Amino acid sequence: MKLRKDGKAYDGSDATIFALGQLWEEVTAIEYSTTQEHQKNYSLGNYAATSWSMGKVDHTGSITLMMNQAVALENACKGNLLSIKPFPINVTFVNEYNQIVNDTILAKFQSQGREVNTEMGLSKQYELFVLNVEYNSGGMI
């Protein structure tokens, strides 16, 4: 599994994904990040910024599932992944300092579809509508 958090890639061989009451073993990649608006503030008579402020926080994410996992989810929600209400996704992995990191993503599926090709092990990347990310939250494992 490929794990990318705020642009940093980690070895996903020891990563686990827990969501909707079960361990998701058919995840090949998950990516999520957080950004916040920043603004320079200018005063009369100054060409350079005299202060700064921060604004809205935005979260984005995606998850790549093997078709076995996707079809099981579709079966549970009568074929419509988009109808699943926001749910926590717990991502647990070991970072480069051998520390256990547990992030909790509150999200729902924003896309649904298929990608069929000649490769073995069909998978599909799904865009997530991410409401919140708690980094290293210590939630469920």
Side-chain angles (χ1 to χ4, degrees):
M1 174 173 60
K2 181 172 70 170
L3 175 67
R4 188 176 299 271
K5 175 179 157 184
D6 286 329
K8 168 98 170 88
Y10 292 90
D11 181 4
S13 61
D14 292 324
T16 60
I17 310 295
F18 188 86
L20 296 172
Q22 60 183 314
L23 185 64
W24 288 11
E25 296 178 347
E26 298 284 334
V27 176
T28 61
I30 188 164
E31 184 171 344
Y32 49 98
S33 63
T34 303
T35 58
Q36 184 170 19
E37 293 176 348
H38 286 71
Q39 173 180 301
K40 295 177 185 176
N41 300 317
Y42 297 88
S43 313
L44 292 175
N46 289 304
Y47 292 107
T50 57
S51 64
W52 59 277
S53 57
M54 298 187 317
K56 298 175 187 172
V57 173
D58 189 34
H59 308 283
T60 59
S62 67
I63 190 166
T64 304
L65 304 175
M66 298 296 289
M67 278 296 110
N68 293 340
Q69 184 78 57
V71 169
L73 286 170
E74 289 173 348
N75 288 340
C77 66
K78 298 181 181 170
N80 187 359
L81 293 179
L82 303 177
S83 71
I84 301 173
K85 295 191 180 339
F87 58 95
I89 303 169
N90 295 98
V91 180
T92 304
F93 62 95
V94 177
N95 71 9
E96 65 268 25
Y97 303 108
N98 267 350
Q99 297 171 323
I100 295 173
V101 177
N102 184 40
D103 297 334
T104 302
I105 306 160
L106 180 62
K108 69 180 297 304
F109 287 98
Q110 186 170 319
S111 67
Q112 183 172 359
R114 299 275 187 265
E115 185 174 332
V116 180
N117 54 42
T118 58
E119 300 295 319
M120 291 176 50
L122 296 177
S123 64
K124 169 75 176 145
Q125 180 179 8
Y126 297 90
E127 293 303 314
L128 296 173
F129 180 74
V130 181
L131 297 165
N132 192 30
V133 178
E134 292 181 21
Y135 292 97
N136 208 11
S137 60
M140 297 185 314
I141 296 179

